[in-house]
Amino acid sequence: MEIKKIKLNTPEEVMEFVNAAEQCDFDIDLYYNRIVVDAKSFLGIMSLDISQNFNVAYHGYNNNLENTIKKYAVV
């Protein structure tokens, strides 16, 4: 399982992330404190405070997803 930290600042960035996640055939979860949402759900992510950092957990590999995660990675 991979866990990475990302920050999504705008609804457009959330949509780009969701589009990348939807192309994957494995589960991707977004964690914020004790809340877990499906990373393939735009409304689920938007229901959170997007000004915060999120942890992304996934079991698989997709090049487009990896590039999108790198783009929004928190160092």
Side-chain angles (χ1 to χ4, degrees):
M1 176 165 72
E2 293 282 330
I3 299 176
K4 309 242 173 113
K5 190 174 290 270
I6 64 168
K7 174 129 172 97
L8 303 168
N9 296 307
T10 66
E12 290 78 18
E13 291 178 355
V14 172
M15 184 55 80
E16 180 182 356
F17 179 77
V18 169
N19 287 337
E22 286 177 339
Q23 296 174 8
C24 301
D25 61 349
F26 48 88
D27 290 335
I28 306 166
D29 294 317
L30 206 72
Y31 293 87
Y32 171 67
N33 291 334
R34 295 182 184 182
I35 301 170
V36 180
V37 297
D38 184 356
K40 298 177 183 180
S41 169
F42 178 78
L43 291 177
I45 296 173
M46 290 303 295
S47 70
L48 303 174
D49 180 4
I50 65 169
S51 68
Q52 303 299 316
N53 295 336
F54 300 110
N55 287 321
V56 180
Y58 53 99
H59 297 276
Y61 181 83
N62 178 286
N63 195 36
N64 188 37
L65 177 66
E66 292 292 332
N67 289 335
T68 303
I69 289 173
K70 285 179 187 175
K71 181 175 179 179
Y72 298 115
V74 175
V75 182

